Amino acid sequence: MSRCLALAAKGLGKVKSNPLVGCVIVENDEIIGEGYHAHFGGPHAEVMAIQSVTEPGRLANATLYVNLEPCHHFGKTPPCSLLIEEKKIPHVVVGQNDPFEKVNGKGIQHLRSIGVKVEIGILEEECRTLNKRFNTFHEQKRPYVILKWAQSADGFIDAIRTDHERKSVAISGMSSRTLSHQWRTEEMGIVVGRGTVEKDNPQLNVRWVEGDAPIRIVIDPHLKSLHFSDSHVFDGSQPTLFFHTNQSPHLSIPQLEWIQLEAPLNWESIFQVLYRHNITSILVEGGAMTLQSLIQAQWWDEARVFVAPIYLHEGIAAPLLNASPHHSESIAQDTLFYYYRK
Ligand code: AOF
Ligand code: ZN
């Protein structure tokens, strides 16, 4: 199962909004096949593993290990449960159930009903952690929320600037910023508030690593950022969702969707829309108000905070998390702290 998890993790950033799944097939104490779900819409882990077996005759005496319950529905690909049945694999070991409602329990039920021996719950906690996005999305019907910011050693995330200075103060170092771009490839959406659009004019794309850019999500209740119409978020280069309460403007921008919600704008209704858009996870990059409002409403799962060895002495205070870091690591001269809500 550990090997399944290591294989599954290779799909990070490539299979979203699907789960990370790895599969290992063992016969007579020997690994005879393995595989993982490598890209969205592509074959499932079980299919890859079964295809990799060079002596298919051994499958009838094999054990198939997989970190997620084999699917039992026709999605973009046919059900893995039926493939396992066809190959007459007698023993299946599963890490966790599939919370997706078209599957949940049905894969295991089917395999048992045809006489396959099924064990479930092996390394379950590790399996659930690996698929934290997929599990949160299906069980809580909202995206998994990762907060991210960089602060100075004395606790500021920005200098005091006018909205027109549009050049952000560099706090974290290059290595930290490259890592942040890696994170952008791993999540489906990237969230910023109106103030960040006005002050930093972020592109919210992926430039320093390989990988797909996330969907841009801008929270702007009164559409004030329209006063900055040359902002990157309006450049039509990337799917963008704009949340507001004003009338939607008669302005058509490629890939940009205006989403008008009732005032006052609240996270619960925003998350309902993100759920309908199949956005399984979001990386929230600021600013302080947006981050703090998610913390206040307890709508976060994880926070990643860079602390840089610089002093700003005054400025915009970093959000207050009210939690202790779970662990930390050094990223060049910066320290990266990881927090988890529960
Ligand atoms: C598995 N093995 O490797 C994965 C599973 O549209 P599809 O056909 O790709 O189906 C996607 C759903 O299948 C996804 O929501 C989840 O329930 C399950 N993913 N199942 O047996 C895999 N990736
Ligand atoms: Zn499947």
Side-chain angles (χ1 to χ4, degrees):
M1 193 59 74
S2 297
R3 177 69 187 146
C4 289
L5 291 172
L7 289 165
K10 295 184 184 198
L12 186 60
K14 304 188 181 85
V15 302
K16 50 193 183 179
S17 56
N18 273 350
L20 300 166
V21 188
C23 179
V24 174
I25 303 174
V26 175
E27 200 269 334
N28 200 15
D29 281 339
E30 189 193 339
I31 291 183
I32 59 166
E34 47 179 44
Y36 65 98
H37 187 41
H39 58 94
F40 182 77
H44 286 182
E46 298 91 319
V47 176
M48 298 300 288
I50 289 170
Q51 277 176 358
S52 78
V53 174
T54 52
E55 298 169 83
R58 295 176 73 177
L59 286 171
N61 188 42
T63 299
L64 179 145
Y65 294 81
V66 62
N67 59 292
L68 189 78
E69 170 181 4
C71 67
H72 189 57
H73 72 299
F74 286 87
K76 291 183 183 60
T77 67
C80 293
S81 54
L82 301 188
L83 180 66
I84 293 169
E85 178 176 1
E86 182 198 319
K87 299 293 173 189
K88 301 192 166 52
I89 298 172
H91 187 190
V92 173
V93 180
V94 177
Q96 73 151 98
N97 69 303
D98 183 343
F100 178 45
E101 55 194 12
K102 281 191 178 165
V103 181
N104 203 348
K106 296 190 187 80
I108 288 166
Q109 201 181 7
H110 177 75
L111 291 172
R112 284 190 174 144
S113 77
I114 56 164
V116 175
K117 180 181 170 198
V118 183
E119 291 172 73
I120 178 151
I122 312 302
L123 291 189
E124 186 166 10
E125 207 183 316
E126 289 85 344
C127 292
R128 288 189 56 81
T129 299
L130 182 75
N131 275 313
K132 57 195 176 186
R133 301 164 179 83
F134 187 74
N135 288 325
T136 301
F137 182 77
H138 287 287
E139 290 169 359
Q140 300 185 37
K141 310 221 176 304
R142 65 164 175 90
Y144 184 82
V145 179
I146 301 174
L147 311 179
K148 177 246 146 181
W149 71 85
Q151 66 182 60
S152 63
D154 53 354
F156 298 103
I157 62 164
D158 198 357
I160 294 167
R161 292 182 280 144
T162 69
D163 285 357
H164 302 279
E165 276 176 65
R166 305 199 95 179
K167 195 163 172 15
S168 51
V169 180
I171 293 180
S172 57
M174 258 333 275
S175 305
S176 302
R177 278 183 274 162
T178 305
L179 181 58
S180 307
H181 273 226
Q182 177 62 36
W183 293 344
R184 287 179 176 185
T185 71
E186 293 170 5
E187 310 311 330
M188 286 199 69
I190 183 164
V191 175
V192 293
R194 189 255 325 163
T196 298
V197 171
E198 292 183 8
K199 285 187 175 171
D200 294 353
N201 189 19
Q203 299 183 57
L204 307 175
N205 58 12
V206 174
R207 302 188 294 284
W208 299 325
V209 296
E210 287 279 305
D212 292 340
I215 296 167
R216 301 189 288 210
I217 298 160
V218 182
I219 314 296
D220 183 3
H222 306 295
L223 287 175
K224 287 189 183 159
S225 44
L226 280 175
H227 297 301
F228 298 82
S229 56
D230 59 342
S231 299
H232 290 299
V233 292
F234 297 121
D235 64 14
S237 66
Q238 216 168 304
T240 305
L241 305 179
F242 237 87
F243 284 94
H244 56 94
T245 61
N246 287 14
Q247 274 289 326
S248 296
H250 294 287
L251 180 61
S252 166
I253 295 173
Q255 308 194 70
L256 186 144
E257 199 176 321
W258 303 108
I259 298 173
Q260 185 188 354
L261 295 177
E262 261 175 46
L265 205 49
N266 66 79
W267 287 110
E268 195 163 354
S269 43
I270 292 170
F271 285 172
Q272 280 169 5
V273 176
L274 298 183
Y275 178 76
R276 287 203 295 276
H277 278 72
N278 229 15
I279 295 177
T280 49
S281 64
I282 53 175
L283 181 66
V284 186
E285 290 209 2
M289 256 176 63
T290 303
L291 290 161
Q292 196 66 56
S293 74
L294 281 162
I295 295 167
Q296 200 132 7
Q298 303 253 358
W299 281 124
W300 64 284
D301 298 289
E302 186 174 326
R304 302 174 184 173
V305 181
F306 292 104
V307 178
I310 61 163
Y311 289 83
L312 290 180
H313 306 294
E314 56 169 9
I316 312 286
L320 277 178
L321 263 180
N322 229 339
S324 308
H326 178 270
H327 64 282
S328 66
E329 60 179 306
S330 295
I331 309 292
Q333 70 272 35
D334 303 332
T335 310
L336 168 59
F337 292 91
Y338 285 88
Y339 297 81
Y340 300 94
R341 191 160 61 88
K342 336 180 252 301

